[in-house]
Amino acid sequence: MSLLELNDVKVHFPIKKGVLFDRTVGHVYAVDGISLKVEAGQTYGLVGESGCGKTTLGRAVLRLVDITSGEVVLDGEDLAKLSDKEMRERRRKLQMVFQDPLGSLNPRQNIESILSEGMAAHGIGASQEERREKIRAILAKVGLPSNALSRYPHEFSGGQRQRIGIARALVLEPDVIICDEPVSALDVSIQAQVVNLLDELQEELGLTYVVIAHDLAVVRHISDVIGVMYLGSLVEEAPSDALYAEPKHPYTRALMSAVPIPDPVVEEARERILLKGDLPSPAKPPSGCRFHTRCPWAQDRCSTERPVLQDVGGGHRVACHFTSEIESGLLQIGSSAAVVPAARTEADSVTAAAVAADTEAPESTEAESTETESTETDSTEDAKDSTAQGA
């Protein structure tokens, strides 16, 4: 049995309307039927564009938002059926590292108070001194000095605050840590330090991670299995190397084609899939396949029948009606997107036109200046002739 298992999880937020009496006029389908499994000691990465429901899914696992339907099974126990009191007891096994390191820390508490609060609530440590010693050991693991205990969140840098957030999760000795965009607010150099820290802690403590991010490079570096979300649904899931080597869902193909390759020759020769249109509203998702309004290979069936995740071999699951046809080339790209060389994208064309305009402008200005100087010279000579004739 998997350590963490989600079965058809749905999170729908009601849309209320009215002044005196609220009435529900619709729902926002933030998470709409997601099923996945996370094994012990594994890192599961969730990727997708902003607004696809990644963070809501992570919060639903911890019951920080109400689950509309479905099961969240942790170590054989369905968390969705627990009362609030029972869930508070189980939260020691589930912890979260939030996206905003400063916003997730109480500015009125020093670091010792922040880290010891959860320990006291769960009965960890017989005394404050015992808890303080454990906190010092955890701070050492995340690379912070022991004198940080008496300091406040605003006295630390962004990277240090994220380390404090990781330490707060570690002091409770959880089974699963959900990392919501753990490095998106940090500089690139600090991102690498935090990602490497998460790797080291996993090897040392045997942790299980669910990493939520939209940075494909970060997810590839840290994840064993990756799930791709689109508009509240899971459209593809595969081992990390397999997903990057051979993406199968049209949305994943478009995502991967947007990742720059640090090789000028390869970057010049490869093709990019440019999607048209914006992400549809989760309050009014399209019928059938959620992606069919932007899919370059969409067919009539896609608008009426919603595909389910199917295993296509090697642990690779895809929610698409025409996976094999697209892969074999039997189904050609349509008019809803364009496949163009990376060096000739629309953005590049606009840039080239702007550069050309900037280059031509000085020549035109110089010509106008020369013409003006010539006119002024002729006017001066005419004035001199007139003066001479008058004399």
Side-chain angles (χ1 to χ4, degrees), residues 63-135:
R63 291 270 305 273
L64 298 179
V65 296
D66 293 332
I67 300 173
T68 304
S69 65
E71 298 178 339
V72 178
V73 181
L74 177 65
D75 202 14
E77 184 177 30
D78 187 3
L79 303 181
K81 296 179 180 179
L82 299 179
S83 65
D84 291 343
K85 181 180 179 181
E86 291 173 328
M87 187 61 208
R88 279 194 294 271
E89 296 173 356
R90 304 301 187 279
R91 282 210 178 98
R92 179 178 175 179
K93 296 183 177 181
L94 276 169
Q95 286 296 298
M96 192 166 190
V97 177
F98 294 92
Q99 180 175 357
D100 182 4
L102 182 59
S104 64
L105 302 174
N106 190 333
R108 296 181 181 274
Q109 290 181 282
N110 60 27
I111 303 309
E112 180 179 358
S113 176
I114 290 173
L115 298 187
S116 64
E117 187 175 27
M119 299 173 69
H122 290 280
I124 300 175
S127 64
Q128 182 61 27
E129 184 59 35
E130 185 176 337
R131 287 192 285 269
R132 185 179 294 116
E133 289 303 317
K134 183 171 183 178
I135 290 172

Side-chain angles (χ1 to χ4, degrees), residues 213-249:
H214 58 257
D215 189 329
L216 297 173
V218 170
V219 174
R220 181 179 188 179
H221 177 78
I222 198 173
S223 301
D224 301 308
V225 178
I226 298 176
V228 182
M229 285 187 65
Y230 181 82
L231 205 63
S233 301
L234 198 65
V235 297
E236 186 166 1
E237 180 189 76
S240 178
D241 293 337
L243 186 77
Y244 279 81
E246 194 175 0
K248 296 184 181 297
H249 193 277

